[in-house]
Amino acid sequence: MTGTIGIIANDMEMKALIEDMYSKEVADGELFIDILDEDRMEGQAKSLEDRGMKVIIARGGPYRHGVGRVEIPIIHMKVSVTDILQAIQKAMETGKKPVLIIWDQVFFNEDDWKGLLPGDLVVERFDHQREIHHIMDTYARASEDYVIIASGIGSKLAREKNMDSVFLNATKDSINDAIGQARNLVHNLHHEKFRNQVLQTILDGVHDAVIAIDYQGLIIRYNDRAKELLKKDKSRVLGKAIEDVFPTMAFMKQVLVNHQVMDNTIMKVNQLTIAANASLIVVDDQVEGVLCAFQDITRLQNLEKKIRLELNKKGLTNKYNFKDIIHHDPAMKSAVAKAILMGETDSTVVLYGESGTGKEMIAQSIHGISPRHSSPFVAVNCAAISESLLESELFGYEEGAFTGARKGGKPGLFELAHGGSVFLDEIASMTDALQAKLLRVLEEKEVMRLGSDHVIPLDIRVIVATNEDLRQKVKDGSFRSDLFYRLSVLELSIPSLRQRRQDIEPIFEVFLDQLSQGHHGTSGFGKEDLTDIDRQRLIAYDWPGNVRELRNMAKRYSLFGQLDMDQGTRESLLDHDHFEEAFIEDKQVNLKAIQENVEDVIIDGLLKMGLTRTEIADKLGISRTALWKKMNRD
C-alpha cells in the first residue's frame, strides 16, 4: 500500500507528532506528510493526487480548498473537543483573556463545558477566511489583554500582529481517528475498484453500447462499444453532463425526470440511427440514475433493399389514367370530373375513401393529366413499413450516416420525385415526428437527408389518401392540425361501390375478362355465364371491401362458377357442383390459387364483420404488412 494516504499537516509540530506516532508507516511510504503552504493552499490537495495518493487527510483551510478540486476522497481531520480544551488550557497559562477563533462548522458548545472553561473565554466563529481578518483587527487594538487560540490563518495573523497566540493543533486522538478512517476507506476503495473493474469488463464485452448517468445527469458508465460508436474517449466523457457531451442523448435526462423507460426506440444520435432501451437505476426505492443500452442498426442496408423493392415495385411512373377508371354511375362520374379539374392545378390533394375504392388509381390519373405527367410518380404506403425505415426512404441519407449506409449515400423518394408527384397512401398512420418533417417539406420546399447538414430544394406535388376522417383525428390529437390544413387545399371523396352500383357489374366483367386470359389457373367461368339473378345479387350486395372484394369475388367465380357473398366460406366452394368440373376434369390443379382464394374468402368475411386491418392481422396471426400484401396481390 505504498504512498496511499497523503496528509496535509498544519505545522511542523503536527508533522513531528504524526511521524512519532506512525514512524514505520511513514518510513514504508504508506503515509506521506506535506506541510501546509498557505501560498499554494488551493493546489496542495491536487499535488498529492498527482503523486498517486488514494486518500487525503486535511483540516481547516486545506480541507475546504481541497474538496471539489480532486477526484480522490478527502477526509476531514475535524477539530475535536479534546483539541480545543487542550489549547484553552495552554492559553490560560498566559494569564490573558482567551479568544477562541473556530470555523462555524466545528461542533463545540461551550455551555457543555462551563465547569472546565474560564469565565472570560470568548468564542468567535467564522464562515469564510475573510471574516478572520475582521475578528483579528477587533482584538489587535487591545492585544495586551487577549491571547488568541486559532489554527491556520488565524494563528498566522496573530503572529503578524505580535499578539500572544496558541496554535489549535490536532491531538493524538484526532490523528488516530483520521488515519483509521483513511485506512478503512483505502481498503473499501480497493474492493470497490475491483467490483467496478468486473462490471466494466462485463459492459465492455457486450455488443450493445452502454451509457449510464447518475441522478444529476452526470455520466458514470461508458463502455468500449459506446466509445467506438460515439467517437469520444472515456476521459472526455466520465463525470460530464450528458447533455453537454452528447446533446442528442439528452433524452436520458427526460427519462430520469419523467420516470418513463424507453423500449427499442428508433432515433438519431449524432450521425447514427440507433435502437435504444433506457431503464431507471433504482436504489432503495429511489431513482438514482438511468442506464441506456443501444445498437447501431447495422442491417439497415439489407432491409432497405427489401423495402425499396416493395415501395418501388410499381416503378416511378403512373400506370393508370382516367380512361382506365370505369365510371358509369353518376356518383363516380362526379368524382372523376372533380379529379380532372384537380389534375389541371398544382395544389396538394387529400383523397378520402374506404379501403379498395381506387384511391391510388385516382392519384395516378391526376398526375397523368397534370403538367408534371412526364416526371416521376412515386407511391408510398405509409402503413406498410416501420417509422425508421419510412424516414430513411422518404428523406434519403448521406454516406456514413449509419453503419451499413450505402457508399455515396442514397436519395430519398422525395428527391426521386423531383419535378413530379408523391402519393402518400394511408397518411393517417404516419407518426407525429414524420408528420412534422413532412410539414417542413411542404412549407419550405426542401429536404435534408439523414446525416446531412445541408438542404436540397424540391419541386414536388403531394397527393395523400386515407380511409379515416382526418378532421376527427385532428380533434382527438392524433393528426397535426397544421399539416392537415397544409394538405387539404383540395379534397375529394371517392364513393364506395355501394354508392356507385351502376359500376359494379361492368367492373366485375372487366375482372372476368382479365382472368379468362389464362391468369390464376382459372377454369373458364366468364361473364357470359352470369345469370340475371347473379347480376341482381352483384348489384344488391353492399361490398364492404369495395373493388378489392369485387376482384376477389371475380377470382372465385372464375374458378368455381359461384357467387358466394352470402356464405363466403371455404366449405361452400368445395361442396359446389362445379368443383369436380373445375378441378377433377381440368388437366392441372392449382393449389396456390386454391389457397389464395381461401385466404380471400376469410379476409373478405372479416371485412364484412367490420374489423379493421389491424384486428384482421391479429386474428390471422400475421403482420399488417403481410395482410397488406395479401389484399393487394394481383
Side-chain angles (χ1 to χ4, degrees):
M1 298 179 69
T2 301
T4 55
I5 300 174
I7 304 174
I8 302 176
N10 289 71
D11 60 4
M12 288 298 299
E13 182 182 343
M14 180 177 175
K15 179 182 180 184
L17 180 59
I18 296 173
E19 288 175 338
D20 180 62
M21 294 171 62
Y22 293 93
S23 57
K24 183 178 184 303
E25 288 79 358
V26 172
D28 292 343
E30 178 187 347
L31 302 180
F32 179 84
I33 306 172
D34 196 11
I35 299 294
L36 169 64
D37 185 344
E38 295 176 358
D39 294 332
R40 62 183 188 93
M41 188 185 302
E42 294 185 357
Q44 211 159 353
K46 186 67 174 68
S47 176
L48 287 174
E49 181 183 33
D50 294 341
R51 291 179 66 101
M53 300 298 111
K54 296 180 175 60
V55 179
I56 295 173
I57 299 174
R59 74 185 305 180
Y63 172 78
R64 294 196 301 275
H65 288 289
V67 172
R69 296 178 184 272
V70 294
E71 295 183 3
I72 59 177
I74 299 183
I75 291 177
H76 187 198
M77 187 188 293
K78 298 179 181 180
V79 177
S80 68
V81 172
T82 303
D83 298 341
I84 294 172
L85 293 177
Q86 182 173 288
I88 292 173
Q89 184 179 14
K90 188 174 181 180
M92 289 172 60
E93 295 174 359
T94 66
K96 296 184 178 183
K97 296 179 182 179
V99 178
L100 175 63
I101 303 175
I102 55 175
W103 188 22
D104 62 4
Q105 292 191 21
V106 173
F107 179 75
F108 177 68
N109 187 354
E110 54 268 34
D111 291 339
D112 294 340
W113 304 92
K114 282 184 177 180
L116 298 177
L117 300 178
D120 55 356
L121 174 68
V122 178
V123 179
E124 296 281 3
R125 297 180 181 272
F126 66 90
D127 180 56
H128 193 277
Q129 66 184 31
R130 290 190 300 267
E131 299 173 17
I132 300 177
H133 290 270
H134 176 70
I135 294 171
M136 294 302 299
D137 289 341
T138 300
Y139 293 99
R141 300 187 188 99
S143 59
E144 67 277 1
D145 298 327
Y146 297 99
V147 57
I148 303 299
I149 305 169
S151 60
I153 294 177
S155 179
K156 177 183 178 183
L157 289 175
R159 291 194 302 271
E160 290 176 354
K161 294 178 182 294
N162 295 316
M163 300 176 68
D164 286 341
S165 64
V166 174
F167 190 78
L168 184 55
N169 216 332
T171 61
K172 289 184 177 181
D173 288 343
S174 298
I175 293 171
N176 268 325
D177 181 59
I179 292 178
Q181 289 183 53
R183 282 175 157 173
N184 288 334
L185 188 54
V186 168
H187 179 75
N188 292 335
L189 285 173
H190 178 75
H191 282 278
E192 184 67 22
K193 184 176 180 180
F194 172 76
R195 287 193 293 267
N196 283 341
Q197 189 59 48
V198 171
L199 175 59
Q200 193 64 46
T201 301
I202 293 172
L203 291 178
D204 289 341
V206 300
H207 177 71
D208 286 7
V210 177
I211 296 181
I213 60 174
D214 63 13
Y215 70 96
Q216 294 178 306
L218 304 180
I219 300 173
I220 56 176
R221 291 290 175 191
Y222 182 75
N223 73 347
D224 286 347
R225 180 60 176 159
K227 172 185 172 183
E228 177 185 341
L229 293 180
L230 300 178
K231 313 299 183 188
K232 283 188 185 291
D233 291 335
K234 293 180 181 180
S235 60
R236 299 171 56 195
V237 169
L238 293 175
K240 307 295 193 306
I242 184 71
E243 64 269 24
D244 292 340
V245 183
F246 302 116
T248 52
M249 296 197 69
F251 64 84
M252 292 180 66
K253 201 75 175 291
Q254 292 302 313
V255 173
L256 183 65
V257 173
N258 300 331
H259 293 184
Q260 293 182 344
V261 300
M262 295 170 52
D263 184 22
N264 286 326
T265 302
I266 306 298
M267 62 179 58
K268 291 289 294 182
V269 169
N270 294 350
Q271 303 301 316
L272 303 174
T273 302
I274 66 168
N277 295 277
S279 305
L280 298 174
I281 301 173
V282 181
V283 179
D284 293 332
D285 297 327
Q286 292 292 323
V287 175
E288 297 291 346
V290 172
L291 184 142
C292 179
F294 58 92
Q295 289 186 348
D296 184 16
I297 304 178
T298 56
R299 295 190 303 155
L300 186 59
Q301 189 172 26
N302 291 333
L303 291 173
E304 175 225 337
K305 280 174 134 183
K306 181 178 178 182
I307 298 301
R308 177 182 276 278
L309 179 62
E310 287 297 318
L311 290 173
N312 297 313
K313 64 183 180 181
K314 297 185 177 73
L316 297 179
T317 59
N318 59 302
K319 288 197 313 182
Y320 299 107
N321 286 291
F322 285 113
K323 62 181 178 59
D324 300 312
I325 300 174
I326 298 172
H327 55 289
H328 303 295
D329 194 281
M332 194 60 183
K333 283 183 177 181
S334 175
V336 169
K338 291 178 181 177
I340 291 173
L341 293 175
M342 293 177 180
E344 296 171 355
T345 74
D346 203 42
S347 300
T348 55
V349 178
V350 179
L351 302 177
Y352 291 95
E354 296 176 6
S355 178
T357 52
K359 296 186 289 295
E360 184 169 348
M361 286 188 71
I362 293 289
Q364 291 192 29
S365 300
I366 289 174
H367 171 79
I369 66 167
S370 74
R372 300 175 180 270
H373 68 276
S374 59
S375 297
F377 175 87
V378 177
V380 184
N381 188 302
C382 299
I385 56 177
S386 67
E387 175 189 0
S388 59
L389 292 177
L390 180 59
E391 181 180 13
S392 167
E393 287 296 327
L394 289 178
F395 298 97
Y397 54 79
E398 293 289 349
E399 179 177 348
F402 44 80
T403 302
R406 175 187 298 177
K407 185 176 182 181
K410 177 186 75 79
L413 294 178
F414 284 134
E415 288 181 64
L416 295 177
H418 182 65
S421 303
V422 172
F423 174 59
L424 302 176
D425 197 8
E426 297 203 46
I427 187 70
S429 66
M430 187 176 282
T431 65
D432 186 73
L434 283 182
Q435 289 178 35
K437 292 192 174 185
L438 174 59
L439 178 63
R440 177 174 176 81
V441 169
L442 293 174
E443 291 184 338
E444 305 297 332
K445 300 186 184 305
E446 60 188 25
V447 68
M448 181 182 292
R449 291 185 183 183
L450 301 182
S452 176
D453 58 359
H454 65 276
V455 297
I456 301 171
L458 283 182
D459 173 25
I460 58 173
R461 182 187 195 177
V462 175
I463 304 172
V464 304
T466 180
N467 57 9
E468 301 183 61
D469 185 350
L470 288 187
R471 285 184 172 80
Q472 182 58 44
K473 293 185 76 65
V474 169
K475 289 180 181 178
D476 62 30
S478 58
F479 197 84
R480 295 177 64 103
S481 60
D482 48 5
L483 178 60
F484 170 75
Y485 291 115
R486 184 63 183 78
L487 289 172
S488 59
V489 178
L490 300 174
E491 296 182 323
L492 177 65
S493 293
I494 303 173
S496 62
L497 270 183
R498 60 185 172 276
Q499 294 171 319
R500 46 182 292 213
R501 294 187 185 274
Q502 292 183 28
D503 294 334
I504 294 176
E505 184 180 345
I507 295 173
F508 187 77
E509 291 178 348
V510 168
F511 285 146
L512 290 180
D513 285 339
Q514 294 172 349
L515 292 166
S516 66
Q517 295 173 8
H519 295 180
H520 303 286
T522 60
S523 56
F525 293 101
K527 61 183 179 180
E528 63 277 2
D529 299 312
L530 279 171
T531 65
D532 290 341
I533 294 177
D534 285 339
R535 299 176 197 279
Q536 292 173 12
R537 292 177 66 205
L538 281 173
I539 296 171
Y541 183 60
D542 279 343
W543 300 106
N546 291 292
V547 176
R548 184 175 291 116
E549 184 182 3
L550 185 63
R551 180 189 61 194
N552 292 341
M553 181 64 70
K555 288 183 184 179
R556 295 195 292 276
Y557 180 83
S558 175
L559 193 62
F560 299 108
Q562 178 189 13
L563 297 179
D564 62 323
M565 66 272 288
D566 293 333
Q567 295 180 350
T569 63
R570 182 173 183 271
E571 288 75 15
S572 68
L573 298 177
L574 298 182
D575 289 343
H576 194 271
D577 293 338
H578 289 294
F579 178 74
E580 180 178 353
E581 179 183 350
F583 291 104
I584 304 303
E585 295 181 358
D586 199 24
K587 293 181 180 180
Q588 186 175 10
V589 175
N590 192 323
L591 293 178
K592 181 179 179 181
I594 295 175
Q595 179 180 342
E596 289 182 357
N597 277 280
V598 170
E599 290 175 349
D600 291 341
V601 170
I602 295 171
I603 293 171
D604 287 346
L606 295 174
L607 284 170
K608 293 173 190 176
M609 294 167 61
L611 272 66
T612 65
R613 293 189 193 190
T614 300
E615 292 170 337
I616 293 174
D618 289 342
K619 279 189 173 294
L620 297 180
I622 60 177
S623 67
R624 246 180 90 94
T625 303
L627 176 65
W628 181 79
K629 290 178 181 178
K630 291 180 183 297
M631 296 177 69
N632 287 275
R633 63 192 170 202
D634 293 330

